[in-house]
Amino acid sequence: MLAEAPLGATAPFGPKTAKQVRRFFGSEPTPLVPLRKTAQELGLAAVYVKDESKRLGLQAFKVFGAAYGMATWLAREVGVDLASVTGLEELRRVYSEKGGKPRTFVTCTDGNHGRAVAWAAKHLGQCAVVLMPKGSAAARVEHVRDLGGQCDVTDLNYDQTVELAFQKAQENGWTVLQDTTAPGYTEIPTWIMQGYTAMADEALAQVDELDQSFPSHVVLQVGVGSMAGAVLGYLVERCSAAEGGGSAPRPVAITLEPQNAACAFASAEKGDGSAVTVDGDLDSMIAGLCCGVPSDIGWPILAKHVDGGFCWIGDGIAGNGMRAMKAEGVEAGECGGAGLGLIRRIMAPDCPKAASVRERLQLGSASRVLIFNTEGATDPENYAKQMGLPDVPPMASPADFGFAPPLQVRACAGE
């Protein structure tokens, strides 16, 4: 088991962690899909999509995080070194033999994380209670219930539902399994984030195998910032002389969020390194990213190491990305399509705003962009709707995307 590190540290998320996660699960990597037509159309050297819609049949990357977090908690509960155990079934047996009792894990989710918690609980012989914010898709509720989890939709937004999960855990003696941090609650989110590093480790190996190359840019979706922080932490460690051998320059990191829930963007705009909370309904089609409170673990990593910029996008840009993925044979939900939608918008010709951002990011004919398709069509109704809509043309609305430069650039410029 890896020791807890100070907040903002990248060491817990390096290649050593990723290899340990991959060894524990022992499953085949998800596909890496080169979008050759898209790259040619956009004038880029390559666009790679790490297709997490194929992760263990659950259509999203979240499962490695939730399952690794739960597994680490259970192993510690009975005094077992997780590194000595391979797979969920073996851990379930060892946990029982050591006298471990079934626990109830409670969580808040917009869909994919809750499904992952229910799946992990089923495989590990535990119980799952999943709370969802108002407006959650019915299909995502059924995904949890089909796996044996209890699922209730609240009349609250995401961050308020997280607070409710903590309240219910305290009242009932349950364990919160959340990648969102809270005062005094950082250990389990760290374990969950460590699970996310596996897909980054897989992706870089696959890019190398495919093209004997390395990405020049990476797009990272931000909800609370746990996935983005974990993957960026992995890249920092991988590309440092200490652990990765400095084999290639670290990819330029670009984050994205929904316009109405852009807490990392707002934090970057503030410019002093502190985290900004975004209030309100956080309403967006990109439901899985509708979070207004940045992670205490993820945000410091993003603040220090994002060297491209912080972006928000309108729903139409995510829809464009979903349809573009479909055209090249990849099923992407709202969060999954958002990354490609942003890159297509930034590469739009005849747009001074896009040209300025491209110049800042040094995106051009030599660029190799890595995008994570973080989810498939987990909301089939919305997916069908989006596939039937026309693309939103660039500059059709002033509220299609925004950009804030990295904090270190702002500091150097005296902004």
Side-chain angles (χ1 to χ4, degrees):
M1 190 179 301
L2 299 169
E4 190 174 13
L7 294 182
T10 57
F13 311 112
K16 181 179 178 181
T17 298
K19 297 294 191 295
Q20 181 170 309
V21 174
R22 294 181 64 183
R23 184 207 59 79
F24 175 74
F25 287 103
S27 58
E28 289 296 314
T30 55
L32 182 87
V33 183
L35 303 187
R36 302 193 189 282
K37 292 181 180 178
T38 297
Q40 183 176 17
E41 174 193 340
L42 299 181
L44 300 169
V47 176
Y48 307 105
V49 171
K50 180 62 170 165
D51 189 7
E52 290 295 301
S53 74
K54 308 295 186 185
R55 183 68 71 183
L56 296 179
L58 295 182
Q59 298 179 279
F61 78 99
K62 289 282 190 176
V63 63
F64 265 20
Y68 193 73
M70 188 181 295
T72 306
W73 191 94
L74 293 172
R76 190 178 70 170
E77 185 75 357
V78 294
V80 171
D81 182 0
L82 192 62
S84 68
V85 181
T86 301
L88 299 176
E89 298 308 317
E90 182 180 344
L91 178 59
R92 178 175 181 168
R93 175 181 58 78
V94 171
Y95 182 76
S96 178
E97 289 175 351
K98 295 282 187 180
K101 304 299 182 184
R103 293 282 303 182
T104 295
F105 291 87
V106 62
T107 194
C108 165
T109 183
D110 287 303
N112 296 328
H113 174 69
R115 187 181 188 181
V117 170
W119 182 91
K122 179 178 179 179
H123 282 272
L124 288 167
Q126 309 301 310
C127 301
V129 174
V130 177
L131 305 178
M132 291 190 178
K134 59 184 176 181
S136 295
R140 290 175 175 146
V141 174
E142 291 307 311
H143 288 155
V144 173
R145 292 175 177 168
D146 287 346
L147 289 165
Q150 176 185 326
C151 187
D152 299 306
V153 179
T154 72
D155 60 356
L156 307 170
N157 70 19
Y158 176 85
D159 299 305
Q160 293 164 340
T161 306
V162 169
E163 293 177 5
L164 180 61
F166 277 92
Q167 177 185 326
K168 286 188 173 291
Q170 186 173 22
E171 292 171 352
N172 296 287
W174 298 342
T175 299
V176 178
L177 195 77
Q178 198 76 39
D179 66 357
T180 307
T181 55
Y185 182 79
T186 58
E187 192 171 41
I188 288 176
T190 297
W191 297 338
I192 293 172
M193 289 172 64
Q194 287 174 336
Y196 299 157
T197 63
M199 66 178 181
D201 193 66
E202 291 176 5
L204 294 191
Q206 290 168 317
V207 170
D208 182 63
E209 182 179 358
L210 180 69
D211 283 342
Q212 294 75 54
S213 189
F214 203 81
S216 64
H217 295 73
V218 62
V219 181
L220 300 170
Q221 296 94 322
V222 174
V224 299
S226 292
M227 184 280 271
V231 172
L232 185 52
Y234 169 89
L235 292 170
V236 168
E237 294 294 313
R238 168 70 181 265
C239 297
S240 72
E243 190 165 357
S247 58
R250 177 160 57 87
V252 175
I254 307 159
T255 70
L256 73 86
E257 302 166 275
Q259 180 184 6
N260 292 336
C263 54
F265 176 89
S267 301
E269 283 278 88
K270 187 178 180 184
D272 63 1
S274 64
V276 173
T277 295
V278 175
D279 297 317
D281 287 341
L282 311 178
D283 185 44
S284 171
M285 175 188 76
I286 317 169
L289 303 182
C290 287
C291 312
V293 181
S295 161
D296 288 338
I297 307 169
W299 169 247
I301 294 173
L302 300 180
K304 183 176 181 180
H305 297 292
V306 166
D307 51 357
F310 299 83
C311 299
W312 58 257
I313 61 170
D315 288 355
I317 300 302
N320 289 354
M322 294 167 69
R323 288 181 289 274
M325 290 269 206
K326 175 68 172 178
E328 295 221 43
V330 178
E331 179 188 279
E334 307 85 36
C335 299
L340 183 57
L342 173 64
I343 291 299
R344 290 175 63 88
R345 179 63 184 88
I346 291 173
M347 297 306 294
D350 304 321
C351 174
K353 179 180 178 181
S356 174
V357 172
R358 283 199 302 275
E359 183 178 358
R360 279 181 174 267
L361 297 175
Q362 297 184 312
L363 268 172
S365 59
S367 300
R368 297 179 175 273
V369 183
L370 174 61
I371 295 170
F372 291 92
N373 177 29
T374 52
E375 65 174 357
T378 56
D379 181 354
E381 183 177 342
N382 185 57
Y383 185 78
K385 175 184 176 181
Q386 294 301 316
M387 292 306 103
L389 293 175
D391 276 358
V392 176
M395 299 177 289
S397 165
D400 60 355
F401 91 107
F403 176 86
L407 270 73
Q408 57 267 38
V409 171
R410 295 173 63 86
C412 290
E415 295 181 27

